[in-house]
Amino acid sequence: MKKLDYLLAMDFIELPEKAGGQPQIRRWESVGEGNPIQDLWTYQPYTERIYAGSNDAIDQDVTWALSDGEANGYPTQKPEGLLARVIRSSSKEGDIVLDAFAGSGTTCAVAEKLDRRWVGIDCGKLAVYTIQKRMLNLRTEIGNKGAALKPKPFGLYNAGLYDFSKLRELPWDAWRFFALQLFQCRDEAHKIGGIELDGYLKGASVLVFNHQKQPGVRIDEETVQSMHEGLGSKVGNRLFIIAPALVFDFQQDYLTLDGVRYYALRIPYSIIHELHQREFSALKQPADEMAVNDTVDSVGFDFIRRPELDYEATANKRKGELFNEGVIRVKTFRSEAVVRDSTKKANRETLSMVMLDYDYDTESDVFDLDAVFYAEAIQKAGWEVRFPLESVGKQLMAVFVDIYGNEAHEVIPASKFGLGDTKAPAKPIKKAPQKSREVIHHEHQRR
């Protein structure tokens, strides 16, 4: 009663004029005493329609219960409503918003919707691919509702510690020698079908692409096709092509023409271990969901080296169900990295995760993340990745990531899972803005 008397004396209670009416709390815009406005934003359940003219509950926009349209499966995702409050209260339209631990990309997505420029940074491969997919599938309203929002062009960059342009300025002979040594190739120039080649790697021929002699020229599928017309089967069953990462215009680790595999050995935008006084240690990728945001002390990134991979793609009956499930069985997975941890790793020990794009579109050449499987769960399943076949389109792309951040990309046709080549796409084909195709190995996103 004392509290009620105090509130009445301070004019916080409004008494009804009509008989039988109920007293109401009177809320003032500014008071000298009383309870201050709370700085804790947390959804209050069962408070819907408490505000006149609104059906929303108290702090409903920052609810932790993400809507189906907003949730993307990232373990530490924050609601768009929460970031919208932060960005609106601390910036103006046209300002630059930076999130140094971008995670699921909520900051980037909300900044885009609120007409801010943005920079997102993350060292996790899952975060990078999650953000890429999210920014290509935005909707106009906070909470990812409303009409589709056409994404503005944005770039994906590898934020290595050093400027790779210094290496590109080397004279051709020095560059060629460096490229061969980088991938531990034997320097032995030779010709096949009139095409000059530079050496050998694991018994197969190696070509060091002369980007200085052909400035601006990119290596795409047509380039490889022209090369194949001169080499044909005379080159054997594989050829390695070494070039700066940005020169390649396709995501796959290799292209296959008439049984010959043309491997892309990409030189990344990071300083080379042999040219630097300090040793590199890798930014390790998580092996389970709980470790997604763990940080590991590091000096820099290692070379981008495709892990050794052998797998089997097939289909099995789902346990207790009539429908089949797709299965990717990881038979061999080994990594080679120039890091301080020189301990020899066992088969599959360096696997971090496998990410899938169920309906990979070769034309757009953008990996559109649909599902992620962590190594811990894959191991418990007998080193098998299992997924619903009804989600698979004409072809699937699988990205196998090791603990050092290296990736092996595999495009697997639907026929490998017993599906016909004429199967309709499982989801609409989306084309990315041209700029979003510039780099596929990246840690830094900017619009």
Side-chain angles (χ1 to χ4, degrees):
M1 290 299 296
K2 287 183 179 181
K3 184 175 182 179
L4 288 174
D5 290 339
Y6 173 81
L7 291 174
L8 183 61
M10 296 298 295
D11 210 16
F12 279 114
I13 296 179
E14 183 174 350
L15 297 176
E17 295 181 359
K18 296 181 180 180
Q22 296 294 322
Q24 300 288 330
I25 294 292
R26 178 179 288 146
R27 303 181 186 276
W28 300 95
E29 290 184 356
S30 176
V31 294
E33 296 184 46
N35 294 325
I37 296 175
Q38 296 292 310
D39 58 4
L40 178 63
W41 298 337
T42 178
Y43 168 62
Q44 302 294 321
Y46 314 116
T47 59
E48 286 78 4
R49 296 180 296 279
I50 195 170
Y51 294 124
S54 173
N55 292 326
D56 293 342
I58 296 175
D59 291 334
Q60 183 170 319
D61 58 327
V62 299
T63 175
W64 51 264
L66 300 171
S67 66
D68 291 339
E70 184 178 354
N72 59 26
Y74 196 85
T76 56
Q77 182 182 0
K78 303 298 186 294
E80 290 190 1
L82 175 63
L83 269 299
R85 288 192 182 190
V86 173
I87 292 173
R88 283 191 178 114
S89 63
S90 58
S91 67
K92 302 185 295 292
E93 289 187 6
D95 284 352
I96 298 176
V97 177
L98 183 144
D99 188 344
F101 303 92
S104 68
T106 301
T107 300
C108 305
V110 173
E112 181 80 11
K113 296 177 184 184
L114 299 180
D115 290 322
R116 273 70 166 172
R117 292 174 292 165
W118 53 267
V119 178
I121 305 170
D122 207 291
C123 64
K125 296 289 182 173
L126 176 60
V128 171
Y129 283 119
T130 298
I131 296 171
Q132 175 178 280
K133 178 184 178 73
R134 185 170 188 170
M135 300 309 295
L136 294 174
N137 293 274
L138 292 178
R139 294 192 171 274
T140 53
E141 298 177 18
I142 299 299
N144 217 37
K145 299 176 287 186
L149 177 63
K150 184 178 180 180
K152 299 181 181 72
F154 61 89
L156 294 85
Y157 298 91
N158 183 342
L161 297 180
Y162 306 93
D163 185 358
F164 188 62
S165 61
K166 300 297 182 184
L167 293 172
R168 298 189 66 175
E169 293 169 1
L170 289 173
W172 168 247
D173 289 342
W175 170 264
R176 177 183 173 278
F177 174 79
F178 155 74
L180 291 171
Q181 292 298 307
L182 171 60
F183 293 100
Q184 300 176 352
C185 303
R186 187 169 83 249
D187 187 350
E188 187 175 324
H190 59 286
K191 281 188 177 182
I192 297 179
I195 297 178
E196 295 184 358
L197 303 174
D198 296 278
Y200 294 93
L201 175 61
K202 299 179 180 179
S205 293
V206 174
L207 169 68
V208 180
F209 181 75
N210 193 336
H211 61 276
Q212 297 179 357
K213 187 177 180 180
Q214 307 174 73
V217 175
R218 303 180 66 79
I219 301 176
D220 55 18
E221 295 188 27
E222 291 184 6
T223 308
V224 177
Q225 179 66 51
S226 299
M227 196 181 302
H228 179 68
E229 291 173 0
L231 296 171
S233 59
K234 292 176 288 187
V235 77
N237 59 10
R238 58 183 175 172
L239 172 76
F240 295 96
I241 305 171
I242 303 176
L246 292 185
V247 170
F248 290 99
D249 238 0
F250 54 87
Q251 283 206 44
Q252 300 96 310
D253 293 308
Y254 58 84
L255 299 175
T256 304
L257 299 174
D258 299 326
V260 181
R261 285 187 175 183
Y262 291 86
Y263 285 87
L265 300 183
R266 296 173 169 88
I267 300 179
Y269 280 69
S270 56
I271 189 64
I272 306 307
H273 176 265
E274 286 83 354
L275 302 181
H276 196 268
Q277 296 178 355
R278 294 185 298 174
E279 284 190 285
F280 277 118
S281 62
L283 283 166
K284 292 193 175 180
Q285 303 296 311
D288 61 77
E289 184 175 343
M290 299 304 295
V292 163
N293 285 333
D294 286 355
T295 57
V296 179
D297 291 336
S298 62
V299 174
F301 283 100
D302 183 24
F303 310 132
I304 295 175
R305 296 190 179 185
R306 185 183 192 273
E308 178 186 350
L309 172 67
D310 183 26
Y311 68 94
E312 179 184 0
T314 184
N316 287 337
K317 286 285 186 185
R318 292 180 188 169
K319 191 173 182 180
E321 297 187 25
L322 298 175
F323 299 101
N324 286 347
E325 64 180 356
V327 178
I328 299 175
R329 185 173 298 111
V330 183
K331 299 166 69 175
T332 303
F333 188 89
R334 291 189 175 91
S335 303
E336 182 180 359
V338 183
V339 294
R340 291 193 182 119
D341 181 11
S342 59
T343 307
K344 188 172 180 61
K345 304 292 185 182
N347 182 28
R348 298 179 292 223
E349 187 178 352
T350 58
L351 181 64
S352 168
M353 67 185 77
V354 178
M355 296 181 283
L356 299 181
D357 178 351
Y358 290 136
D359 189 27
Y360 175 66
D361 174 27
T362 306
E363 186 177 354
S364 71
D365 198 26
V366 171
F367 179 77
D368 192 4
L369 175 64
D370 286 315
V372 59
F373 302 84
Y374 296 99
E376 184 180 47
I378 296 172
Q379 181 179 8
K380 289 179 180 178
W383 295 106
E384 291 184 346
V385 177
R386 302 169 187 168
F387 50 91
L389 272 183
E390 56 266 29
S391 300
V392 178
K394 292 183 179 180
Q395 58 186 5
L396 172 151
M397 176 176 270
V399 178
F400 300 78
V401 184
D402 70 13
I403 59 176
Y404 308 116
N406 296 302
E407 303 173 9
H409 293 213
E410 290 287 330
V411 177
I412 308 173
S415 58
K416 291 289 186 180
F417 304 105
L419 302 175
D421 291 335
T422 59
K423 186 181 189 303
K427 60 189 178 188
I429 292 175
K430 295 178 282 294
K431 290 194 177 183
Q434 191 66 24
K435 287 188 179 180
S436 70
R437 298 178 58 192
E438 292 179 353
V439 179
I440 61 169
H441 291 281
H442 47 274
E443 314 304 329
H444 173 194
Q445 305 206 28
R446 180 177 67 191
R447 192 207 84 197

